C-alpha cells in the first residue's frame, strides 16, 4: 500500500509541503525586505484612493496593493513580506496535497511527488524571481479552487470555493485563470446548476475591483503592439518555444530564467517529467474521471494563450492596439497554471501506477519526488533573492513629504520604472518610492525590454516623460507641464545617478537631502486633478460588492468549521 499504513505514510502528505517551503524560503527570512523586480514591500503602504484603481494608470496592482496596505497595519510590511514568501510554496503544496487526497488517485508517496512538481518547477521559479507574488498566490489557490469546485458539484463547500476564488483574484491574470478553471469544472455535465450559478456569480464579483477600475479609465486600456514580441514566451534551450512551455518555462524575461534551464541534465530531467506526466494523463483519462478532461481543456487553452505571441504576433499586435484589455494576454506564459496543475497530478498518477508493481516502493517513490528538485536545484534558497534594508534617510524623507498637507503628487527621479539600487545589491526592482512614501505619485510606466523602450498606458505619465525628454533635448523647462499634471514634488533617488532635476528646473526648492534621497518642492501651485465622481462611485461599488462576497464566504467558512468541530 505504498507505505500508507505506516505512521510516516500518514505524516508525509502534510509535512512534505512544509519541508519544501522551508527549503525555498528559509534564507529569505533574514531581517530585511526581499524585493526584486515586481515584488515591492515597504514598512507601511498607505491606504490611498489610487490603490483602489481611481487613477489614470492601468490597475495592475488592484486589488493586491489594497490588501497589503490593510494587512501591513496589523503585521508590518517586513513581516507581511516574509509571510507572503512562505505562503506561496506552502499553500501550493498543501493545496495539491488536499486535492490529491480528495481525488484518491494514489498513496502518499505518489502524492508527495505530485506536490513536489507543483511547488518546484520552472514556472514558479521564474515568476518568483520576477517578483510576481500576487500571481503566485493565485497559482497556490488553484488546487484549493478545484477541490472546492468538486465539492460544490456534490452540493457543499460554497464558502471554501469563494475564498479560493478570492486568492486567484489578487491579479487580473490570476482571476481570469481561476474563473476559467472554475467554470470548466462546475459547468461540466453532472453538477448542481443552481449552486454553480451562485458560485460563478460570487467569483465574478470578487474580480470586480480590477475589472471595473480598468473599464472606468478615461483612456482606453490598449497597449503598444511592440509589447507583443517583447513579452512573448521564449525558447530556453528545449528545442523551441512549445517544448519550453510544456516543460513549464518560457518567461519573457531571460534575466530571471534559472541558470540550470537549458543545461543537459535539467533538459533530460525536464523531458522525463513531461513524458511521465503524459503517461499519467493517459492512465487517468482511461479511468473516466471528468476532472482530467477539464484540466486538459484548461491546459490546452493555457498553451494556446502562451503561444499566441509567438505563432500569431500580427493578430496579437492588432488585438492589444485595438481591443481594450487585450494587453492582459501579451504575457501569455503567466497563464500556465492549469498546465502545471495537470502535469503535477498526472505525474503522481503515473508514479502511483508504477508503485503498485515495483519492489522497494519507498526508494522508487522518494527518488521520483526528488526529480523536480534535481531538475532545478537553484530554487533552493530563493534562487538568488536576498533580504535588504531600505536606507535610513528614506524614513525622514517620508516624514517631510507627509508633513506638507498641500496638494500635489510627487514623481520619482529619474523618471524610470525600475532601479538597481546599491542597498539591494544592484538587483533590479520596481521603483519602491511610490509605495514607500505616503503621498500619491505619478508612476512611470514605460518599460525597457531588450534595449527597446515600450510606451506606457498612463496619459499623465506619458506627458511627463515627454516633457522631461524635451527638456534634455532642447533645454525647455518642464515645470509648467509638471504642474499641469498635478506634480508638486520631485523625489530624487541619488543612488540611481544621472543629472539633477535642478539642471532642468533651477527654481526647485530643496526640502530635504540625505545620503540616498533628496526631496524637492516645485514652486507654485500644481493644477488640481479632478476625479470624475461616477468613476469613484463605480470603483468603490465594485469593491463593496467584492468585500461583501468575501465577508460572507469567511463567515460561512467559520460556520462550517464550527459544525465540523462539533461533530468530533
Amino acid at each position: 500500500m505504498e507505505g500508507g499504513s505506516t505512521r510516516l505514510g500518514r505524516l508525509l502528505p502534510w509535512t512534505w509541503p512544509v519541508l519544501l517551503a522551508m527549503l525555498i524560503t528559509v534564507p529569505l527570512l533574514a531581517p530585511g525586505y526581499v524585493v526584486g523586480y515586481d515584488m515591492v514591500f515597504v514598512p507601511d503602504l498607505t491606504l490611498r484612493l489610487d490603490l483602489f484603481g481611481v487613477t489614470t494608470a492601468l490597475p495592475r496592482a488592484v486589488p493586491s496593493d489594497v490588501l497589503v496596505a490593510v494587512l501591513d497595519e496589523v503585521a508590518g510590511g517586513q513581516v507581511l513580506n516574509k509571510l507572503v514568501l512562505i505562503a506561496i510554496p506552502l499553500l501550493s503544496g498543501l493545496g495539491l496535497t488536499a486535492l490529491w487526497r480528495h481525488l484518491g488517485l494514489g498513496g502518499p508517496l505518489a502524492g508527495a511527488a505530485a506536490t513536489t512538481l507543483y511547488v518546484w518547477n520552472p514556472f514558479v521559479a521564474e515568476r518568483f524571481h520576477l517578483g510576481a507574488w500576487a500571481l503566485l498566490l493565485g497559482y497556490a489557490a488553484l488546487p484549493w479552487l478545484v477541490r472546492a469546485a468538486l465539492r460544490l458539484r456534490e452540493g457543499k463547500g460554497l464558502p471554501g470555493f469563494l475564498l479560493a476564488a478570492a486568492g486567484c483574484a489578487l491579479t487580473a491574470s490570476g482571476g481570469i485563470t481561476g474563473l476559467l478553471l472554475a467554470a470548466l469544472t462546475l459547468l461540466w455535465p453532472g453538477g448542481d446548476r443552481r449552486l454553480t450559478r451562485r458560485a460563478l456569480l460570487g467569483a465574478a464579483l470578487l474580480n470586480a475591483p480590477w475589472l471595473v477600475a480598468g473599464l472606468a479609465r478615461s483612456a482606453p486600456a490598449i497597449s503598444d503592439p511592440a509589447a507583443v514580441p517583447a513579452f512573448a514566451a521564449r525558447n530556453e534551450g528545449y528545442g523551441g518555444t512549445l517544448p519550453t512551455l510544456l516543460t513549464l518555462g518560457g518567461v519573457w524575461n531571460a534575466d530571471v530564467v534559472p541558470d540550470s534551464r537549458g543545461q543537459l541534465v535539467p533538459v533530460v530531467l525536464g523531458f522525463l517529467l513531461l513524458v511521465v506526466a503524459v503517461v499519467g494523463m493517459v492512465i487517468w483519462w482511461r479511468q473516466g474521471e471528468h476532472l482530467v478532461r477539464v484540466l486538459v481543456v484548461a491546459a490546452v487553452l493555457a498553451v494556446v494563450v502562451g503561444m499566441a505571441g509567438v505563432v500569431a504576433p500580427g493578430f496579437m499586435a492588432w488585438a492589444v492596439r485595438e481591443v481594450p484589455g487585450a494587453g492582459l494576454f501579451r504575457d501569455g506564459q503567466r497563464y500556465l497554471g492549469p498546465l502545471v496543475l495537470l502535469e503535477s497530478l498526472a505525474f503522481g498518477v503515473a508514479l502511483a501506477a508504477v508503485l503498485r508493481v515495483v519492489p522497494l516502493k519507498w526508494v522508487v517513490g522518494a527518488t521520483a519526488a526528488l526529480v523536480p528538485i534535481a531538475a532545478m536545484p537553484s530554487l533552493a534558497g530563493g534562487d538568488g533573492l536576498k533580504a535588504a534594508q531600505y536606507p535610513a534617510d528614506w524614513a525622514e524623507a517620508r516624514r517631510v513629504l507627509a508633513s506638507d498637507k498641500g496638494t500635489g503628487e510627487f514623481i520619482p527621479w529619474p523618471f524610470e520604472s525600475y532601479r538597481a539600487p546599491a542597498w539591494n545589491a544592484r538587483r533590479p526592482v520596481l521603483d519602491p518610492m511610490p509605495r514607500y512614501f505616503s503621498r500619491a505619485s505619478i508612476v512611470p510606466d514605460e518599460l525597457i525590454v531588450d534595449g527597446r523602450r515600450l510606451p506606457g498606458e498612463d496619459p499623465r505619465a506619458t506627458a511627463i516623460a515627454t516633457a522631461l525628454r524635451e527638456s534634455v533635448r532642447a533645454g525647455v523647462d518642464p515645470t509648467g507641464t509638471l504642474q499641469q499634471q498635478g506634480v508638486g514634488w520631485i523625489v530624487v533617488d541619488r543612488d540611481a545617478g544621472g543629472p539633477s532635476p535642478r539642471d532642468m528646473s533651477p527654481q526647485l526648492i530643496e526640502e530635504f537631502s540625505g545620503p540616498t534621497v533628496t526631496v524637492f518642492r516645485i514652486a507654485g501651485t500644481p493644477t488640481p486633478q479632478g476625479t470624475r465622481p461616477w468613476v469613484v462611485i463605480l470603483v468603490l461599488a465594485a469593491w463593496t460588492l467584492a468585500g461583501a462576497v468575501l465577508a460572507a464566504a469567511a463567515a460561512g467558512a467559520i460556520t462550517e468549521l464550527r459544525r465540523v468541530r462539533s461533530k468530533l
Side-chain angles (χ1 to χ4, degrees), residues 93-430:
L94 293 177
L96 200 286
T97 299
L99 178 58
W100 178 266
R101 289 168 64 87
H102 181 85
L103 294 171
L105 295 173
L109 277 177
T115 296
T116 305
L117 183 54
Y118 195 69
V119 172
W120 205 293
N121 60 73
F123 176 79
V124 169
E126 292 171 356
R127 292 291 163 175
F128 195 73
H129 200 156
L130 198 56
W133 65 268
L135 174 69
L136 287 176
L137 283 178
Y139 167 86
L142 287 180
W144 297 102
L145 183 74
V146 172
R147 179 179 179 272
L150 293 175
R151 296 185 71 232
L152 268 179
R153 290 174 63 86
E154 302 167 0
K156 54 189 177 182
L158 180 59
F161 172 84
L162 293 175
L163 290 177
C168 293
L170 286 172
T171 64
S173 53
I176 292 170
T177 302
L179 285 172
L180 169 68
L181 201 49
L184 287 173
T185 306
L186 291 173
L187 294 175
W188 205 269
D192 185 326
R193 294 291 180 178
R194 183 184 61 85
L195 201 54
T196 292
R197 287 193 294 269
R198 289 175 57 194
L200 291 180
L201 175 60
L205 290 176
L206 288 167
N207 285 274
W210 64 263
L211 180 59
V212 172
L215 293 174
R217 290 178 73 239
S218 57
I222 56 177
S223 303
D224 190 288
V228 172
F231 288 98
R234 294 170 178 257
N235 174 20
E236 295 174 356
Y238 285 72
T241 305
L242 180 58
T244 297
L245 290 176
L246 293 177
T247 55
L248 310 180
V251 71
W252 62 271
N253 189 335
D255 293 335
V256 303
V257 176
D259 293 337
S260 58
R261 289 287 284 175
Q263 296 178 3
L264 178 60
V265 172
V267 166
V268 172
L269 293 178
F271 280 115
L272 174 64
L273 291 168
L274 176 60
V275 170
V276 173
V278 170
V279 172
M281 289 178 215
V282 173
I283 296 172
W284 194 8
W285 188 284
R286 289 179 175 177
Q287 294 174 358
E289 166 63 50
H290 93 277
L291 180 60
V292 66
R293 290 160 172 79
V294 167
L295 291 178
V296 167
V297 172
V300 169
L301 290 174
V303 173
V304 168
V305 173
M307 288 293 295
V310 179
V311 301
F315 169 76
M316 287 298 297
W318 170 85
V320 301
R321 183 181 63 246
E322 303 293 341
V323 181
L328 284 169
F329 300 99
R330 64 186 187 181
D331 177 9
Q333 193 261 1
R334 62 183 167 184
Y335 294 93
L336 280 190
L339 176 66
V340 186
L341 182 58
L342 172 63
E343 290 192 16
S344 299
L345 290 170
F347 180 65
V349 170
L351 179 60
V354 170
L355 293 177
R356 293 188 190 102
V357 298
V358 299
L360 301 175
K361 291 177 172 47
W362 278 100
V363 174
V364 174
T367 301
L370 295 176
V371 170
I373 299 175
M376 198 177 53
S378 60
L379 185 55
D383 195 26
L385 293 175
K386 304 289 183 182
Q389 296 284 358
Y390 286 102
D393 56 332
W394 280 38
E396 182 60 31
R398 175 185 165 100
R399 285 190 287 271
V400 170
L401 277 173
S403 64
D404 187 286
K405 303 304 180 183
T407 60
E409 298 166 79
F410 81 87
I411 62 169
W413 185 278
F415 197 65
E416 297 288 351
S417 299
Y418 285 86
R419 301 278 192 265
W423 55 264
N424 198 39
R426 298 300 179 189
R427 291 184 294 273
V429 60
L430 186 68

Side-chain angles (χ1 to χ4, degrees), residues 52 205-206 208-209 536-552:
F52 289 87
L205 290 176
L206 288 167
V536 178
I537 293 171
L538 276 178
V539 170
L540 295 184
W543 276 92
T544 301
L545 289 172
V549 172
L550 183 59

Side-chain angles (χ1 to χ4, degrees), residues 34-41 81 84-85 88 128 130-133 385 429-430:
V34 178
V35 296
Y37 287 98
D38 294 344
M39 180 158 53
V40 179
F41 284 82
N81 183 201
V84 165
L85 292 170
I88 290 169
F128 195 73
L130 198 56
W133 65 268
L385 293 175
V429 60
L430 186 68

